[in-house]
Amino acid sequence: MVNNPKYVEPAEDGTIRLLGIETSCDETAAAIVEDGKNILSNVVASQIDIHAQYGGVFPEVASRQHVIAIYPILEQALQQAHITLDDVDGIAVTQGPGLSGSLVVGLNTAKGIALANRLPLIGVNHLEAHIYSAWLDSDDKAIDREPEFPLIALIVSGGHTELILMTGHLTYQRLGSTLDDAAGEAFDKVARLLGLEYPGGPSIQQAAEIGNDRAFNFPRSWLDDSWDFSFSGLKTAVLREVRRLEKTDLPLPVNDIAASFQAAVVDVLITKTLKAAEEYQAKDLLVAGGVSANKSLRQRFLDSSEIPVHIPPLFLCTDNAAMIAGAGYFRYCAGQRDQLDIDAFPNWPVSELA
Ligand code: KG4
Ligand code: ZN
């Protein structure tokens, strides 16, 4: 075990410059970010085309693709930022949650760089990183100021649906999460049922654009007073409808089903999030994760919330390493420095963050 990395003086101008590395699922990504907000570079190599033929992420293939892609992606991230590793103050890397074989590739790469360059290593929770994507600067940011606390954060990704109360930086109270499928997972599964391409979110969104969202009255799971979510009943209802329609001679109304399904997911996500914001007197709302790229979800949040809604620009909604370096900065400032023997946490809920 190697102890304490060297103490790193921040850059002369006082900025902290972190290299972020993300390999939790099917994107190999590296980025350089200053002070948790200024993105100097943000390089993402997506494996979507490779996994699309399997209709979902094939974990073994994903790990091996990360091994192939990680080094060139790192080089590009440094080149695009016009810096070398000598100009970096630390390495932030996704430690979990995610696919274990994929996480290990990023984690070991980060450890190697940290060891060779005697740089601090910071293990980052991927969900926390989605939250901190809201602090990153970009020209097309919905609101041109940082989120204010207390805030309600809704994280909607391929693996998670989390409703979180944040009363300060790095301070989370998990109010609810999904009892079965994650929101993104529901999009992916329903897309497959409808014969649409992986990943399902963008395919459903596109199909829904010319569909009637009232054509089918799919169920909304409100789960009474709980802040939890459930999407498996909705998925089953879509399945039943598809099977019923397949028995007729008529063509499957894919666009109407997609639109009606999307409306059901968006209804539940928005209603519960706005209710939580009211109950906890939140100053701001924050929506993040791959599903926050959804046009209808974004528009309805902006139209129906009385408080400001922070939603990252599209390129920061889906997995990227800028958000890892972003969250890493706040952890760095809190004094987090990890040892070189840290392990991957494939299941690492936000509620367990110290
Ligand atoms: O955050 P993310 O890139 O990876 C995980 O951490 O899981 O989220 C991926 C998920 C996938 O389920 C994908 O179908 C969904 O985000 N997604 C969308 C859209 N774009 C991506 N869902 C709905 N509408 C979209 N436009
Ligand atoms: Zn993600």
Side-chain angles (χ1 to χ4, degrees):
M1 191 167 80
V2 177
N3 266 317
N4 290 326
K6 71 176 173 185
Y7 170 74
V8 178
E9 288 282 355
E12 267 171 29
D13 52 4
T15 54
I16 301 291
R17 200 172 288 133
L18 297 185
L19 163 65
I21 298 177
E22 152 68 32
T23 63
S24 68
C25 191
D26 59 347
E27 261 94 27
T28 317
I32 306 286
V33 175
E34 286 180 345
D35 295 337
K37 56 178 187 229
N38 300 327
I39 305 174
L40 302 191
S41 66
N42 184 29
V43 186
V44 182
S46 173
Q47 306 174 5
I48 281 177
D49 292 346
I50 296 166
H51 298 290
Q53 58 187 303
Y54 306 112
V57 179
F58 198 123
E60 166 77 17
V61 174
S63 326
R64 295 175 65 183
Q65 285 302 317
H66 287 309
V67 171
I68 295 167
I70 188 101
Y71 188 70
I73 291 298
L74 276 167
E75 285 214 306
Q76 274 184 50
L78 289 166
Q79 269 168 18
Q80 286 181 17
H82 304 292
I83 60 165
T84 70
L85 283 170
D86 289 341
D87 307 310
V88 165
D89 297 300
I91 325 278
V93 60
T94 309
Q95 199 179 349
L99 302 168
S100 54
S102 290
L103 289 166
V104 161
V105 178
L107 206 48
N108 283 349
T109 306
K111 287 178 184 182
I113 299 172
L115 178 63
N117 298 276
R118 299 182 63 227
L119 285 167
L121 177 71
I122 301 145
V124 170
N125 180 295
H126 181 90
L127 303 175
E128 180 172 67
H130 272 303
I131 289 178
Y132 275 97
S133 61
W135 271 262
L136 294 168
D137 276 344
S138 75
D139 292 340
D140 40 4
K141 217 174 156 168
I143 301 174
D144 198 19
R145 66 158 173 81
E146 291 185 355
E148 283 180 21
F149 304 110
L151 63 81
I152 293 289
L154 173 72
I155 309 175
V156 270
S157 69
H160 294 85
T161 306
E162 309 273 346
L163 194 60
I164 293 164
L165 169 66
M166 270 183 96
T167 49
H169 279 298
L170 311 177
T171 314
Y172 313 97
Q173 185 186 334
R174 187 203 219 180
L175 303 178
S177 65
T178 182
L179 302 178
D180 37 60
D181 293 341
E185 192 179 357
F187 270 95
D188 294 336
K189 287 179 175 171
V190 166
R192 204 176 314 162
L193 273 177
L194 296 177
L196 300 173
E197 255 184 25
Y198 175 85
S203 304
I204 297 244
Q205 174 179 308
Q206 198 187 1
E209 267 165 25
I210 51 163
N212 172 5
D213 64 4
R214 295 191 182 170
F216 297 91
N217 186 16
F218 290 131
R220 277 88 169 137
S221 265
W222 299 113
L223 302 177
D224 299 325
D225 287 336
S226 147
W227 297 117
D228 287 330
F229 300 91
S230 165
F231 296 107
S232 73
L234 170 60
K235 180 191 63 191
T236 308
V238 176
L239 172 69
R240 235 183 272 131
E241 198 59 43
V242 168
R243 295 283 176 265
R244 187 183 69 78
L245 290 163
E246 276 171 350
K247 285 185 193 139
T248 68
D249 288 337
L250 301 167
L252 197 63
V254 170
N255 302 95
D256 288 349
I257 299 177
S260 304
F261 160 79
Q262 180 176 268
V265 176
V266 169
D267 263 1
V268 176
L269 291 175
I270 292 200
T271 306
K272 290 209 162 201
T273 307
L274 295 184
K275 201 169 151 204
E278 201 182 320
E279 176 129 347
Y280 291 93
Q281 298 179 354
K283 286 195 180 138
D284 279 3
L285 273 182
L286 194 164
V287 189
V291 182
S292 68
N294 186 269
K295 235 188 201 172
S296 164
L297 182 77
R298 296 169 79 89
Q299 197 53 51
R300 283 204 39 207
F301 257 119
L302 297 174
D303 291 345
S304 51
S305 174
E306 284 174 5
I307 57 172
V309 188
H310 299 259
I311 310 185
L314 295 183
F315 76 102
L316 295 174
C317 289
T318 44
D319 289 348
N320 63 85
M323 67 182 196
I324 306 301
Y329 168 76
F330 289 89
R331 293 254 150 218
Y332 181 100
C333 292
Q336 180 179 329
R337 304 289 185 274
D338 288 316
Q339 303 290 328
L340 291 179
D341 62 352
I342 56 169
D343 195 6
F345 293 150
N347 304 303
W348 185 12
V350 162
S351 54
E352 280 176 19
L353 282 171

